[in-house]
Amino acid sequence: MADVLFVGKSSITSIVNRLAERGWIERERDEGDRRVVYLTLTEEGRKIHRKAELHLQSLVASYLTHFDEGEVEHFITLYEKLAMLLQEQGGEQGHENDT
């Protein structure tokens, strides 16, 4: 999880604690391996996620008005390619581990 979020492993616990305290996530331990913890968004967490997504889309859209249609299409193509690469590689390439 630390690698995907580009933060140190020691930071993950405090981030998860804050999210749980705010009621945005729930934790559930794996019955077979108590070291494994599953995190699930709560309904409130899903609301916050949707709100953040809409805000980000609005912010990006406000800047995209300064580009012509071809530039916007090119940006979207490159952004989708980047997202795919990050998903496939877990964001590990070019990132030093903070541990």
Side-chain angles (χ1 to χ4, degrees), residues 3 6 85-86 88-96:
D3 291 339
F6 301 107
L85 289 170
L86 288 171
E88 287 174 358
Q89 298 173 5
E92 294 175 20
Q93 193 169 3
H95 172 66
E96 293 182 22

Side-chain angles (χ1 to χ4, degrees), residues 9-73:
K9 290 180 182 179
S10 60
S11 299
I12 290 297
T13 300
S14 62
I15 292 169
V16 169
N17 285 342
R18 284 194 303 272
L19 293 172
E21 288 167 6
R22 292 178 179 162
W24 296 350
I25 62 168
E26 293 176 339
R27 298 178 193 163
E28 184 178 338
R29 293 221 177 258
D30 185 293
E31 293 299 322
D33 185 348
R34 302 295 288 169
R35 297 171 297 175
V36 175
V37 179
Y38 299 105
L39 304 176
T40 307
L41 283 174
T42 62
E43 183 57 37
E44 183 64 23
R46 284 189 288 278
K47 287 179 188 175
I48 295 295
H49 179 260
R50 282 190 295 273
K51 185 176 178 180
E53 269 190 334
L54 291 173
H55 180 73
L56 181 59
Q57 288 173 3
S58 176
L59 180 65
V60 170
S62 72
Y63 286 103
L64 291 179
T65 61
H66 300 283
F67 299 94
D68 66 40
E69 186 177 340
E71 290 171 324
V72 171
E73 288 175 6

